[in-house]
Amino acid sequence: MMDTVTSSKPAVLFVCVHNAGRSQMAAGYLRHLAGDRIDVFSAGSEPADRVNAVAVAAMAEEGIDLLGAQPAILTTDAVRRADVVVTMGCGDACPVFPGKRYEDWELTDPAGLPLEAVRPIRDDIRRRVEDLVAELTA
């Protein structure tokens, strides 16, 4: 039985400073694991020019393609649309609205790290996203 009412779908926004590593990996996992059951957005307070190539490689090992992903600027509209806002080291740059659920995931920034060092960050993100999917689709 498929629920086609889009307004009942939870929306999740992942935010990190550059929207090039952690938030892109989290969004990739959430799209992969939840399919169309959850709306997924990601953004950065100071978006980079491109997604971190090592993050792309780490996700490719999991069968998730981030090649087409593009860092986006964080807007207040994006935060308003989200039911859950997951921040990853963006500190006070993330606007806070009443009635939203905020989570701060303390994750190492993969920028400048080799693939071997990014894999554990990726795996940590996957565990957290799996928990989030279980919660939001229960």
Side-chain angles (χ1 to χ4, degrees):
M1 192 166 95
M2 290 288 290
D3 181 8
T4 53
V5 182
T6 51
S7 62
S8 66
K9 267 203 292 194
V12 176
L13 171 65
F14 293 106
V15 183
C16 65
V17 176
H18 300 298
N19 189 218
R22 296 164 288 186
S23 56
Q24 291 284 355
M25 289 192 284
Y29 270 130
L30 187 53
R31 285 186 191 100
H32 180 75
L33 296 168
D36 61 1
R37 295 176 295 166
I38 298 172
D39 286 331
V40 184
F41 307 97
S42 72
S45 51
E46 299 170 30
D49 296 332
R50 66 186 65 85
V51 175
N52 179 333
V54 180
V56 172
M59 293 302 284
E61 292 181 344
E62 297 281 286
I64 298 171
D65 182 4
L66 291 185
L67 280 174
Q70 194 58 43
I73 186 77
L74 176 65
T75 64
T76 51
D77 281 349
V79 177
R80 270 196 201 98
R81 276 201 319 258
D83 298 300
V84 180
V85 179
V86 178
T87 57
M88 303 168 179
C90 68
D92 299 334
C94 301
V96 175
F97 292 100
K100 303 279 177 204
R101 175 174 148 197
Y102 289 87
E103 285 188 22
D104 186 50
W105 292 358
E106 291 201 16
L107 297 160
T108 303
D109 187 345
L113 298 178
L115 185 57
E116 303 73 53
V118 173
R119 285 184 186 121
I121 301 167
R122 174 200 67 198
D123 296 344
D124 186 7
I125 291 170
R126 181 183 183 111
R127 279 189 297 277
R128 293 169 189 250
V129 169
E130 286 171 343
D131 291 345
L132 191 60
V133 169
E135 239 176 81
L136 294 176
T137 60

